[in-house]
Amino acid sequence: MSFHAQVLTLYPDMFPGPLGTSLAGRARDEGIWSLDTVQIRDFADDRHRSVDDTPAGGGAGMVLRADVLGRAVDHAVTAQPGAPMLYMSPRGKPLTQARVRDLAAGPGATILCGRFEGVDQRLLDARAIEEVSIGDYILSGGELGAMVLLDACIRLLPGVMGASLSGEDESFESGLLEYPHYTRPQEWEGRTIPEVLRSGDHARIAAWRLERSREMTRLRRPDLWERHGDAQVQSPSGERRETKEK
Ligand code: SAH
């Protein structure tokens, strides 16, 4: 069964966008994943086909209407009942590689893209919708967020990545940032490739890479390092031991 994405948006022309090229595009041509867009405006019921209105209580901007979105969401659920319903939102749970992996292992995803000031809260309260953020900054709409999420899922689908092992070493998969890479030429602007990588000694190379990963994570992402340290000192029973690696 292939991975199916439904995207609810006011701008269906933005899709597949970058997901139509390279790895994702080829995978789509091969039927590994598919995409339908749903035009939110098709679910408006007034003469002007309006989808938004001014915020209750006043203030700047416009808010997407719960009634219009409710119909669009219900339509999407009927079209693909088993798929998780996501709303791209800066107030959502930050997207992680673990969540991406879960989603990629499932039937697909239905993604609601907000615009303007966002959506009427009652929609989020009334439907089973998971709010997902792609980071602590504000986009002008959920579409690019949906593309980010889908791109991260698609590359994990079976048959998408050429060298299938290349997914396993990467940043976050082990809880650490990835080690640095080098390739030919051997010397560039007076800089050489670290000697160990030319040694052919696989054990030494693995140890060097792990050390670089650990160092980079510790220096650049103390938050990840902290969690990684916690994971390493968990006993088999799941209880945390007293000593913690620093
Ligand atoms: N007023 C809102 C921001 C609205 S931005 C607030 O301050 O929380 C308009 C739309 O862009 C949102 O509805 C959401 O769908 C999308 N969006 C903006 N930033 C995002 C982010 N960091 N992650 C995911 N979606 C985002």
Side-chain angles (χ1 to χ4, degrees):
M1 199 181 60
S2 75
F3 183 94
H4 183 67
Q6 284 194 99
V7 178
L8 282 62
T9 171
L10 287 170
Y11 301 98
D13 290 354
M14 288 178 76
F15 293 85
L19 302 176
T21 50
S22 188
L23 221 63
R26 213 173 316 128
R28 185 157 166 262
D29 293 342
E30 289 167 4
I32 295 174
W33 72 285
S34 53
L35 172 78
D36 278 332
T37 53
V38 175
Q39 169 56 273
I40 292 169
R41 200 170 293 281
D42 290 347
F43 297 87
D45 63 357
D46 64 353
R47 236 162 20 93
H48 306 289
R49 299 223 297 158
S50 52
V51 295
D52 57 342
D53 210 328
T54 54
M62 298 296 271
V63 176
L64 287 168
R65 287 166 53 147
D67 55 347
V68 177
L69 290 177
R71 286 190 290 272
V73 162
D74 293 346
H75 164 87
V77 170
T78 309
Q80 200 188 6
M85 173 73 63
L86 314 175
Y87 167 50
M88 301 315 299
S89 161
R91 295 184 312 193
K93 195 166 171 197
L95 186 62
T96 61
Q97 187 65 15
R99 185 68 187 113
V100 164
R101 213 164 249 296
D102 275 357
L103 287 168
T110 300
I111 309 175
L112 172 62
C113 302
R115 278 275 158 177
F116 321 124
E117 292 310 312
V119 308
D120 188 308
Q121 180 63 34
R122 290 171 295 177
L123 173 84
L124 305 174
D125 297 340
R127 297 289 184 276
I129 297 177
E130 175 186 342
E131 292 185 64
V132 179
S133 166
I134 65 158
D136 292 342
Y137 40 80
I138 306 292
L139 304 168
S140 52
E143 288 79 7
L144 286 172
M147 289 177 202
V148 165
L149 184 145
L150 289 173
D151 181 83
C153 291
I154 291 162
R155 59 190 289 287
L156 296 179
L157 299 175
V160 175
M161 263 191 292
S164 60
L165 274 179
S166 75
E168 285 171 17
D169 258 9
E170 278 167 333
S171 293
F172 310 124
E173 290 293 353
S174 59
L176 294 173
L177 301 180
E178 202 186 34
Y179 49 80
H181 296 287
Y182 300 87
T183 187
R184 279 182 285 271
Q186 190 100 288
E187 190 185 325
W188 176 73
E189 295 189 349
R191 295 164 190 269
T192 56
I193 295 175
E195 187 280 326
V196 55
L197 297 179
R198 290 178 276 144
S199 68
D201 180 340
H202 296 298
R204 250 185 86 210
I205 292 171
W208 181 88
R209 285 178 166 167
L210 179 60
E211 204 31 59
R212 295 287 77 71
S213 277
R214 292 165 59 92
E215 183 184 30
M216 201 170 283
T217 309
R218 191 167 52 78
L219 294 175
R220 295 188 180 183
R221 292 292 303 273
D223 57 323
L224 286 181
W225 181 244
E226 179 104 339
R227 262 182 274 152
H228 179 73
D230 282 355
Q232 287 206 329
V233 295
Q234 296 243 326
S235 67
S237 69
E239 270 171 59
R240 204 176 279 180
R241 278 193 247 134
E242 291 291 293
T243 51
K244 194 167 109 183
E245 192 181 354
K246 281 287 167 189

